[in-house]
Structures are given as C-alpha cells and as structure tokens.
C-alpha cells in the first residue's frame, strides 16, 4: 500500500504540481526576471524600475490570461481540466497571444532595455506559432515555454557575455522535469514534448537573430 502511494505521488501528484508551478503563463515572468537580474539590465534600470517592469509582465502575461481562461470556463466555452483537449486550447491561445502583444507594446512604450522587449516579442511569436500548430496537432506549451527560456539564456551568454551557468543548468534540469511530468500525466506523447521544447528554443533564438540582424 505504501509503495502504491509513493508511485501515485511521484507519477501523478508531483507531475501535477510541476505542471502548475511551471505553467506556460509563468514563463514570460520567469524569463524577464532572469534578464532583470543579469548584468544586461543592471546599468540601465534601478530596483524601482525593475519592479515596475516585472509587475507589468505579471499582469499582462499571467494574471489577465488566467482570468480570461477562468471566464471562458465559467461561460462553458472551454473545458478547463488543464486544457487537455486540443480544441479547448484555441481560444486561450488567441487571448494569450493578444495579451502577450499588449505586454510587448507597453514595455516598448516604457522604453525598457531592448533585450526585454525582444524576449516579450518572441513570446508573442511563440504563442502564434503554437496556436497554428495546435490547429492540427497537439503540442506541449509547457515545453515550448521552457524551450524559450533556455534559448534566452543561450542568447544572454552568446551575445551579451553574461555568466549564465547556473541559469543554463537550471533550465536543462527543469526542462527534463517538466517533460517527465507531461508524459507521466499522459498529456502528451514524447514527440509532442520534444517538438514543443525544440520549437520554443528555435523560435526564440531565430527570432532574436532575425530581429537584430
């Protein structure tokens, strides 16, 4: 009985917790936090300005999308249930994409450092591409999000010469944990998990190259 409880915890309960903690809507805030606490933004923003930027990102990319998703569920336009069905993800993706764009627009108007604007824009692009793919095939948005974070850490190291060893190791480990969790919950196939991660990584990295060069 004890073994069954442990198995249930590690393969069902813990994956649920991981999926909630590292929800795709958390990723823009996490990525922005990493940038704000790197050497890139230190000379450009004081602590008060950093808090304002982070507050805008949290409101636009987490609080408001979550509120609209709960409203859609309340109106029975979608079945929440962690949005397991591909069809239930369409409206949330559209709303999330619009709010992510508003976040980018506000940050641009605020004149925040370019790297933060870029990360917010690549998040919009990632949501749009994920939406288009989801029309035909269910893809892991969790893995797309952490893939984008991993790419941004790579960009900080390659183009801004920031020491990101801790962030890179953390991103790789967390990616593995999230992937395991999505598979344990039977929410995705291995192909959907791998494609989601590679998609988020490639979209973010190539978007940076295209927009900068």
């Amino acid at each position: 009985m004890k073994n069954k409880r442990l198995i249930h915890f590690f393969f069902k309960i813990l994956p649920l917790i991981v999926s909630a903690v590292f929800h795709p809507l958390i990723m823009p805030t996490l990525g922005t936090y990493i940038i704000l606490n790197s050497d890139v933004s230190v000379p450009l923003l004081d602590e008060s300005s950093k808090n304002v930027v982070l507050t805008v990102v949290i409101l636009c990319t987490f609080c408001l999308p979550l509120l609209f998703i709960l409203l859609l569920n309340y109106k029975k336009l979608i079945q929440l249930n962690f949005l397991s069905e591909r069809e239930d993800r369409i409206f949330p993706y559209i709303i999330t994409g619009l709010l992510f764009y508003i976040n980018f627009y506000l940050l641009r108007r605020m004149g925040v450092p370019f790297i933060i604007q870029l990360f917010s824009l690549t998040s919009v692009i990632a949501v749009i591409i994920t939406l288009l793919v989801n029309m035909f095939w269910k893809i892991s948005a969790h893995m797309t999000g952490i893939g984008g974070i991993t790419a941004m850490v790579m960009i900080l190291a390659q183009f801004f010469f920031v020491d990101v060893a801790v962030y890179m190791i953390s991103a790789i480990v967390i990616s593995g944990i999230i992937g395991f969790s999505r598979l344990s919950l039977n929410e995705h196939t291995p192909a959907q998990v791998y494609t989601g991660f590679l998609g988020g990584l490639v979209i973010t990295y190539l978007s940076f190259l295209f927009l900068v060069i």
Side-chain angles (χ1 to χ4, degrees), residues 20-74:
V21 170
F22 295 103
H23 191 276
L25 294 179
I26 295 292
M27 296 306 171
T29 299
L30 180 58
T32 304
Y33 177 83
I34 291 173
I35 297 171
L36 289 174
N37 286 275
S38 69
D39 295 335
V40 175
S41 66
V42 169
L44 302 174
L45 296 173
D46 56 27
E47 286 302 316
S48 177
S49 298
K50 289 180 181 181
N51 290 335
V52 171
V53 171
L54 202 58
T55 299
V56 170
V57 174
I58 292 173
L59 287 175
C60 291
T61 66
F62 179 74
C63 295
L64 290 178
L66 181 60
L67 181 62
F68 275 104
I69 289 172
L70 293 175
L71 181 61
L72 287 173
N73 179 68
Y74 176 75

Short mmCIF file of all heavy atoms in Angstrom, two decimals, residues 20-74:
data_model
loop_
_atom_site.label_atom_id
_atom_site.label_comp_id
_atom_site.label_asym_id
_atom_site.label_seq_id
_atom_site.Cartn_x
_atom_site.Cartn_y
_atom_site.Cartn_z
N ALA A 20 1.74 22.82 -12.71
CA ALA A 20 1.13 24.06 -12.24
C ALA A 20 2.18 25.13 -11.97
O ALA A 20 2.04 26.29 -12.37
CB ALA A 20 0.31 23.79 -10.98
N VAL A 21 3.27 24.74 -11.29
CA VAL A 21 4.32 25.69 -10.93
C VAL A 21 5.00 26.25 -12.18
O VAL A 21 5.29 27.45 -12.26
CB VAL A 21 5.36 25.03 -10.01
CG1 VAL A 21 6.57 25.94 -9.82
CG2 VAL A 21 4.74 24.70 -8.66
N PHE A 22 5.25 25.38 -13.16
CA PHE A 22 5.92 25.81 -14.38
C PHE A 22 4.95 25.90 -15.55
O PHE A 22 5.25 25.49 -16.68
CB PHE A 22 7.07 24.86 -14.72
CG PHE A 22 8.18 24.88 -13.70
CD1 PHE A 22 8.30 23.86 -12.77
CD2 PHE A 22 9.08 25.93 -13.67
CE1 PHE A 22 9.31 23.88 -11.82
CE2 PHE A 22 10.09 25.97 -12.73
CZ PHE A 22 10.21 24.94 -11.80
N HIS A 23 3.78 26.45 -15.26
CA HIS A 23 2.76 26.65 -16.30
C HIS A 23 3.30 27.59 -17.38
O HIS A 23 4.10 28.48 -17.09
CB HIS A 23 1.50 27.25 -15.66
CG HIS A 23 0.32 27.25 -16.56
ND1 HIS A 23 0.08 28.24 -17.50
CD2 HIS A 23 -0.70 26.36 -16.68
CE1 HIS A 23 -1.03 27.98 -18.15
NE2 HIS A 23 -1.53 26.84 -17.68
N PRO A 24 2.89 27.41 -18.63
CA PRO A 24 3.38 28.28 -19.72
C PRO A 24 3.19 29.77 -19.45
O PRO A 24 4.01 30.59 -19.87
CB PRO A 24 2.54 27.84 -20.92
CG PRO A 24 2.21 26.41 -20.63
CD PRO A 24 2.05 26.31 -19.15
N LEU A 25 2.13 30.14 -18.73
CA LEU A 25 1.91 31.55 -18.45
C LEU A 25 2.94 32.13 -17.49
O LEU A 25 3.09 33.36 -17.39
CB LEU A 25 0.50 31.75 -17.86
CG LEU A 25 -0.68 31.45 -18.79
CD1 LEU A 25 -2.00 31.67 -18.06
CD2 LEU A 25 -0.62 32.31 -20.05
N ILE A 26 3.66 31.26 -16.78
CA ILE A 26 4.69 31.72 -15.85
C ILE A 26 5.98 32.10 -16.59
O ILE A 26 6.77 32.93 -16.13
CB ILE A 26 5.01 30.61 -14.82
CG1 ILE A 26 3.79 30.34 -13.93
CG2 ILE A 26 6.22 30.97 -13.97
CD1 ILE A 26 3.45 31.46 -13.00
N MET A 27 6.18 31.52 -17.77
CA MET A 27 7.46 31.62 -18.46
C MET A 27 7.88 33.05 -18.82
O MET A 27 9.06 33.41 -18.66
CB MET A 27 7.47 30.72 -19.70
CG MET A 27 7.34 29.24 -19.37
SD MET A 27 8.61 28.70 -18.18
CE MET A 27 8.03 27.04 -17.80
N PRO A 28 6.98 33.92 -19.32
CA PRO A 28 7.40 35.30 -19.60
C PRO A 28 7.91 36.01 -18.35
O PRO A 28 8.90 36.75 -18.41
CB PRO A 28 6.13 35.96 -20.14
CG PRO A 28 5.36 34.83 -20.74
CD PRO A 28 5.61 33.67 -19.82
N THR A 29 7.26 35.78 -17.22
CA THR A 29 7.71 36.38 -15.97
C THR A 29 9.06 35.82 -15.56
O THR A 29 9.96 36.57 -15.15
CB THR A 29 6.68 36.12 -14.84
OG1 THR A 29 5.43 36.71 -15.20
CG2 THR A 29 7.16 36.71 -13.53
N LEU A 30 9.23 34.51 -15.69
CA LEU A 30 10.49 33.87 -15.32
C LEU A 30 11.63 34.38 -16.20
O LEU A 30 12.71 34.72 -15.70
CB LEU A 30 10.37 32.35 -15.45
CG LEU A 30 11.61 31.53 -15.10
CD1 LEU A 30 12.05 31.80 -13.67
CD2 LEU A 30 11.33 30.04 -15.30
N GLY A 31 11.39 34.45 -17.51
CA GLY A 31 12.42 34.94 -18.42
C GLY A 31 12.78 36.39 -18.17
O GLY A 31 13.97 36.76 -18.17
N THR A 32 11.76 37.21 -17.92
CA THR A 32 12.01 38.62 -17.64
C THR A 32 12.78 38.78 -16.34
O THR A 32 13.69 39.62 -16.23
CB THR A 32 10.67 39.39 -17.54
OG1 THR A 32 9.93 39.21 -18.75
CG2 THR A 32 10.92 40.88 -17.33
N TYR A 33 12.44 37.98 -15.35
CA TYR A 33 13.15 38.03 -14.06
C TYR A 33 14.63 37.70 -14.25
O TYR A 33 15.50 38.36 -13.66
CB TYR A 33 12.51 37.04 -13.08
CG TYR A 33 13.21 36.97 -11.75
CD1 TYR A 33 12.94 37.90 -10.75
CD2 TYR A 33 14.16 35.98 -11.49
CE1 TYR A 33 13.59 37.84 -9.52
CE2 TYR A 33 14.82 35.92 -10.27
CZ TYR A 33 14.53 36.85 -9.29
OH TYR A 33 15.18 36.80 -8.08
N ILE A 34 14.91 36.69 -15.07
CA ILE A 34 16.30 36.31 -15.32
C ILE A 34 17.06 37.47 -15.97
O ILE A 34 18.19 37.79 -15.58
CB ILE A 34 16.36 35.05 -16.22
CG1 ILE A 34 15.86 33.83 -15.45
CG2 ILE A 34 17.79 34.81 -16.70
CD1 ILE A 34 15.73 32.57 -16.30
N ILE A 35 16.43 38.10 -16.97
CA ILE A 35 17.09 39.22 -17.66
C ILE A 35 17.32 40.38 -16.69
O ILE A 35 18.39 40.99 -16.67
CB ILE A 35 16.24 39.69 -18.85
CG1 ILE A 35 16.13 38.57 -19.90
CG2 ILE A 35 16.87 40.93 -19.49
CD1 ILE A 35 15.14 38.87 -21.01
N LEU A 36 16.30 40.69 -15.88
CA LEU A 36 16.41 41.81 -14.94
C LEU A 36 17.48 41.59 -13.89
O LEU A 36 18.02 42.55 -13.34
CB LEU A 36 15.06 42.05 -14.26
CG LEU A 36 13.94 42.64 -15.13
CD1 LEU A 36 12.63 42.68 -14.36
CD2 LEU A 36 14.32 44.05 -15.60
N ASN A 37 17.79 40.34 -13.62
CA ASN A 37 18.80 40.04 -12.61
C ASN A 37 20.14 39.63 -13.23
O ASN A 37 20.99 39.07 -12.54
CB ASN A 37 18.28 38.94 -11.68
CG ASN A 37 17.23 39.45 -10.72
OD1 ASN A 37 17.54 39.98 -9.66
ND2 ASN A 37 15.97 39.31 -11.10
N SER A 38 20.29 39.91 -14.53
CA SER A 38 21.57 39.66 -15.19
C SER A 38 22.32 40.98 -15.35
O SER A 38 21.78 42.06 -15.09
CB SER A 38 21.34 39.03 -16.57
OG SER A 38 20.76 39.97 -17.45
N ASP A 39 23.55 40.88 -15.80
CA ASP A 39 24.38 42.08 -15.97
C ASP A 39 23.87 42.99 -17.08
O ASP A 39 24.31 44.14 -17.19
CB ASP A 39 25.83 41.68 -16.26
CG ASP A 39 26.46 40.96 -15.08
OD1 ASP A 39 26.01 41.19 -13.95
OD2 ASP A 39 27.41 40.18 -15.30
N VAL A 40 22.96 42.47 -17.93
CA VAL A 40 22.48 43.25 -19.07
C VAL A 40 21.70 44.48 -18.62
O VAL A 40 21.89 45.59 -19.13
CB VAL A 40 21.58 42.39 -19.98
CG1 VAL A 40 20.99 43.23 -21.10
CG2 VAL A 40 22.39 41.24 -20.56
N SER A 41 20.82 44.32 -17.63
CA SER A 41 19.93 45.41 -17.23
C SER A 41 20.42 46.19 -16.03
O SER A 41 19.88 47.25 -15.72
CB SER A 41 18.54 44.85 -16.92
OG SER A 41 18.58 44.00 -15.79
N VAL A 42 21.44 45.70 -15.35
CA VAL A 42 21.91 46.36 -14.13
C VAL A 42 22.26 47.84 -14.36
O VAL A 42 21.86 48.71 -13.58
CB VAL A 42 23.11 45.60 -13.52
CG1 VAL A 42 23.77 46.44 -12.43
CG2 VAL A 42 22.66 44.26 -12.96
N PRO A 43 23.03 48.17 -15.43
CA PRO A 43 23.39 49.59 -15.61
C PRO A 43 22.24 50.45 -16.11
O PRO A 43 22.32 51.67 -16.11
CB PRO A 43 24.51 49.53 -16.68
CG PRO A 43 24.85 48.10 -16.84
CD PRO A 43 23.64 47.34 -16.45
N LEU A 44 21.14 49.82 -16.56
CA LEU A 44 20.07 50.56 -17.24
C LEU A 44 18.84 50.80 -16.38
O LEU A 44 18.11 51.77 -16.60
CB LEU A 44 19.66 49.79 -18.50
CG LEU A 44 20.79 49.52 -19.51
CD1 LEU A 44 20.28 48.64 -20.64
CD2 LEU A 44 21.34 50.83 -20.06
N LEU A 45 18.59 49.94 -15.41
CA LEU A 45 17.37 50.05 -14.60
C LEU A 45 17.69 49.99 -13.11
O LEU A 45 18.48 49.14 -12.68
CB LEU A 45 16.40 48.91 -14.95
CG LEU A 45 15.83 48.88 -16.38
CD1 LEU A 45 15.05 47.60 -16.59
CD2 LEU A 45 14.96 50.09 -16.64
N ASP A 46 17.06 50.86 -12.33
CA ASP A 46 17.20 50.76 -10.88
C ASP A 46 16.16 49.76 -10.36
O ASP A 46 15.33 49.25 -11.12
CB ASP A 46 17.03 52.13 -10.22
CG ASP A 46 15.71 52.80 -10.57
OD1 ASP A 46 14.72 52.07 -10.86
OD2 ASP A 46 15.66 54.04 -10.58
N GLU A 47 16.22 49.49 -9.07
CA GLU A 47 15.35 48.46 -8.50
C GLU A 47 13.88 48.81 -8.65
O GLU A 47 13.04 47.94 -8.92
CB GLU A 47 15.69 48.26 -7.02
CG GLU A 47 16.98 47.52 -6.78
CD GLU A 47 16.98 46.15 -7.42
OE1 GLU A 47 15.95 45.44 -7.32
OE2 GLU A 47 17.99 45.78 -8.03
N SER A 48 13.53 50.09 -8.50
CA SER A 48 12.15 50.51 -8.63
C SER A 48 11.64 50.26 -10.05
O SER A 48 10.52 49.76 -10.24
CB SER A 48 12.02 52.00 -8.29
OG SER A 48 10.69 52.45 -8.47
N SER A 49 12.45 50.59 -11.03
CA SER A 49 12.07 50.39 -12.43
C SER A 49 11.92 48.90 -12.75
O SER A 49 11.02 48.50 -13.48
CB SER A 49 13.11 51.02 -13.36
OG SER A 49 13.20 52.41 -13.16
N LYS A 50 12.81 48.09 -12.21
CA LYS A 50 12.73 46.65 -12.41
C LYS A 50 11.41 46.09 -11.86
O LYS A 50 10.76 45.24 -12.50
CB LYS A 50 13.91 45.95 -11.74
CG LYS A 50 15.24 46.18 -12.42
CD LYS A 50 16.35 45.44 -11.69
CE LYS A 50 17.70 45.67 -12.35
NZ LYS A 50 18.79 44.94 -11.66
N ASN A 51 11.01 46.58 -10.70
CA ASN A 51 9.76 46.11 -10.10
C ASN A 51 8.55 46.51 -10.95
O ASN A 51 7.60 45.74 -11.07
CB ASN A 51 9.62 46.70 -8.69
CG ASN A 51 10.60 46.11 -7.71
OD1 ASN A 51 11.09 44.99 -7.88
ND2 ASN A 51 10.94 46.86 -6.66
N VAL A 52 8.60 47.70 -11.53
CA VAL A 52 7.51 48.15 -12.39
C VAL A 52 7.42 47.26 -13.63
O VAL A 52 6.33 46.82 -14.03
CB VAL A 52 7.72 49.62 -12.82
CG1 VAL A 52 6.70 50.01 -13.90
CG2 VAL A 52 7.59 50.54 -11.62
N VAL A 53 8.57 46.99 -14.25
CA VAL A 53 8.60 46.13 -15.44
C VAL A 53 8.05 44.75 -15.12
O VAL A 53 7.22 44.20 -15.85
CB VAL A 53 10.05 46.01 -15.98
CG1 VAL A 53 10.13 44.94 -17.07
CG2 VAL A 53 10.53 47.34 -16.52
N LEU A 54 8.50 44.18 -14.01
CA LEU A 54 8.06 42.83 -13.63
C LEU A 54 6.56 42.81 -13.33
O LEU A 54 5.86 41.85 -13.67
CB LEU A 54 8.86 42.36 -12.42
CG LEU A 54 8.93 40.84 -12.20
CD1 LEU A 54 9.54 40.16 -13.41
CD2 LEU A 54 9.75 40.54 -10.96
N THR A 55 6.06 43.88 -12.73
CA THR A 55 4.63 43.97 -12.43
C THR A 55 3.80 43.99 -13.71
O THR A 55 2.77 43.30 -13.81
CB THR A 55 4.33 45.24 -11.60
OG1 THR A 55 5.03 45.17 -10.37
CG2 THR A 55 2.83 45.35 -11.32
N VAL A 56 4.24 44.77 -14.70
CA VAL A 56 3.53 44.82 -15.99
C VAL A 56 3.51 43.44 -16.64
O VAL A 56 2.47 42.99 -17.14
CB VAL A 56 4.20 45.85 -16.93
CG1 VAL A 56 3.63 45.74 -18.35
CG2 VAL A 56 4.02 47.26 -16.39
N VAL A 57 4.64 42.77 -16.63
CA VAL A 57 4.74 41.43 -17.24
C VAL A 57 3.82 40.44 -16.54
O VAL A 57 3.11 39.66 -17.18
CB VAL A 57 6.20 40.94 -17.22
CG1 VAL A 57 6.27 39.49 -17.71
CG2 VAL A 57 7.08 41.83 -18.08
N ILE A 58 3.83 40.46 -15.21
CA ILE A 58 2.98 39.53 -14.44
C ILE A 58 1.51 39.77 -14.75
O ILE A 58 0.74 38.82 -14.95
CB ILE A 58 3.25 39.69 -12.94
CG1 ILE A 58 4.65 39.18 -12.59
CG2 ILE A 58 2.21 38.92 -12.12
CD1 ILE A 58 5.07 39.45 -11.16
N LEU A 59 1.10 41.03 -14.79
CA LEU A 59 -0.31 41.35 -15.04
C LEU A 59 -0.74 40.93 -16.45
O LEU A 59 -1.80 40.31 -16.63
CB LEU A 59 -0.55 42.85 -14.86
CG LEU A 59 -0.55 43.37 -13.42
CD1 LEU A 59 -0.67 44.89 -13.40
CD2 LEU A 59 -1.70 42.75 -12.62
N CYS A 60 0.09 41.26 -17.44
CA CYS A 60 -0.29 41.04 -18.84
C CYS A 60 -0.14 39.59 -19.30
O CYS A 60 -0.89 39.13 -20.16
CB CYS A 60 0.52 41.94 -19.76
SG CYS A 60 0.12 43.70 -19.63
N THR A 61 0.85 38.89 -18.75
CA THR A 61 1.13 37.55 -19.26
C THR A 61 0.72 36.42 -18.32
O THR A 61 0.79 35.25 -18.70
CB THR A 61 2.63 37.40 -19.58
OG1 THR A 61 3.39 37.49 -18.37
CG2 THR A 61 3.08 38.48 -20.56
N PHE A 62 0.30 36.78 -17.10
CA PHE A 62 -0.15 35.74 -16.19
C PHE A 62 -1.54 36.02 -15.63
O PHE A 62 -2.48 35.24 -15.86
CB PHE A 62 0.84 35.56 -15.03
CG PHE A 62 0.41 34.51 -14.05
CD1 PHE A 62 0.51 33.17 -14.38
CD2 PHE A 62 -0.12 34.85 -12.81
CE1 PHE A 62 0.10 32.18 -13.49
CE2 PHE A 62 -0.54 33.88 -11.91
CZ PHE A 62 -0.43 32.54 -12.26
N CYS A 63 -1.70 37.13 -14.94
CA CYS A 63 -2.97 37.41 -14.25
C CYS A 63 -4.14 37.54 -15.23
O CYS A 63 -5.18 36.87 -15.07
CB CYS A 63 -2.84 38.67 -13.40
SG CYS A 63 -1.67 38.52 -12.04
N LEU A 64 -4.00 38.40 -16.23
CA LEU A 64 -5.10 38.62 -17.18
C LEU A 64 -5.40 37.39 -18.03
O LEU A 64 -6.58 37.04 -18.20
CB LEU A 64 -4.81 39.84 -18.05
CG LEU A 64 -4.87 41.19 -17.33
CD1 LEU A 64 -4.51 42.33 -18.28
CD2 LEU A 64 -6.26 41.42 -16.75
N PRO A 65 -4.39 36.69 -18.61
CA PRO A 65 -4.72 35.47 -19.35
C PRO A 65 -5.42 34.43 -18.49
O PRO A 65 -6.38 33.80 -18.93
CB PRO A 65 -3.35 34.97 -19.81
CG PRO A 65 -2.50 36.18 -19.87
CD PRO A 65 -2.97 37.04 -18.72
N LEU A 66 -4.95 34.26 -17.25
CA LEU A 66 -5.58 33.30 -16.35
C LEU A 66 -7.02 33.69 -16.06
O LEU A 66 -7.92 32.84 -16.04
CB LEU A 66 -4.78 33.22 -15.05
CG LEU A 66 -5.30 32.22 -14.00
CD1 LEU A 66 -5.30 30.81 -14.57
CD2 LEU A 66 -4.46 32.29 -12.73
N LEU A 67 -7.26 34.99 -15.86
CA LEU A 67 -8.60 35.48 -15.59
C LEU A 67 -9.54 35.19 -16.76
O LEU A 67 -10.67 34.72 -16.57
CB LEU A 67 -8.56 36.98 -15.31
CG LEU A 67 -9.89 37.66 -14.99
CD1 LEU A 67 -10.49 37.08 -13.71
CD2 LEU A 67 -9.71 39.17 -14.85
N PHE A 68 -9.07 35.45 -17.97
CA PHE A 68 -9.89 35.20 -19.16
C PHE A 68 -10.14 33.71 -19.36
O PHE A 68 -11.23 33.31 -19.78
CB PHE A 68 -9.21 35.79 -20.40
CG PHE A 68 -9.52 37.25 -20.61
CD1 PHE A 68 -8.58 38.22 -20.31
CD2 PHE A 68 -10.75 37.64 -21.10
CE1 PHE A 68 -8.86 39.57 -20.50
CE2 PHE A 68 -11.05 38.98 -21.30
CZ PHE A 68 -10.09 39.95 -20.99
N ILE A 69 -9.15 32.87 -19.09
CA ILE A 69 -9.33 31.42 -19.22
C ILE A 69 -10.37 30.92 -18.23
O ILE A 69 -11.25 30.11 -18.58
CB ILE A 69 -7.98 30.69 -19.00
CG1 ILE A 69 -7.05 30.96 -20.18
CG2 ILE A 69 -8.21 29.18 -18.84
CD1 ILE A 69 -5.64 30.45 -19.96
N LEU A 70 -10.32 31.42 -17.00
CA LEU A 70 -11.33 31.05 -16.00
C LEU A 70 -12.71 31.53 -16.41
O LEU A 70 -13.72 30.85 -16.19
CB LEU A 70 -10.95 31.62 -14.63
CG LEU A 70 -9.68 31.04 -13.98
CD1 LEU A 70 -9.35 31.79 -12.70
CD2 LEU A 70 -9.86 29.55 -13.71
N LEU A 71 -12.77 32.71 -17.04
CA LEU A 71 -14.05 33.25 -17.51
C LEU A 71 -14.61 32.39 -18.64
O LEU A 71 -15.82 32.10 -18.67
CB LEU A 71 -13.86 34.68 -18.00
CG LEU A 71 -15.12 35.40 -18.51
CD1 LEU A 71 -16.15 35.51 -17.39
CD2 LEU A 71 -14.77 36.79 -19.04
N LEU A 72 -13.75 31.96 -19.56
CA LEU A 72 -14.19 31.08 -20.64
C LEU A 72 -14.72 29.76 -20.08
O LEU A 72 -15.72 29.22 -20.57
CB LEU A 72 -13.03 30.80 -21.59
CG LEU A 72 -12.60 31.95 -22.52
CD1 LEU A 72 -11.34 31.57 -23.28
CD2 LEU A 72 -13.72 32.31 -23.49
N ASN A 73 -14.06 29.26 -19.05
CA ASN A 73 -14.52 28.03 -18.42
C ASN A 73 -15.87 28.24 -17.73
O ASN A 73 -16.77 27.40 -17.81
CB ASN A 73 -13.48 27.55 -17.41
CG ASN A 73 -13.90 26.28 -16.70
OD1 ASN A 73 -13.98 25.22 -17.30
ND2 ASN A 73 -14.16 26.38 -15.40
N TYR A 74 -16.01 29.41 -17.08
CA TYR A 74 -17.27 29.73 -16.38
C TYR A 74 -18.42 29.83 -17.38
O TYR A 74 -19.55 29.38 -17.10
CB TYR A 74 -17.12 31.04 -15.62
CG TYR A 74 -18.38 31.52 -14.96
CD1 TYR A 74 -18.85 30.91 -13.78
CD2 TYR A 74 -19.12 32.57 -15.50
CE1 TYR A 74 -20.01 31.34 -13.17
CE2 TYR A 74 -20.29 33.01 -14.89
CZ TYR A 74 -20.73 32.40 -13.73
OH TYR A 74 -21.88 32.83 -13.13
#
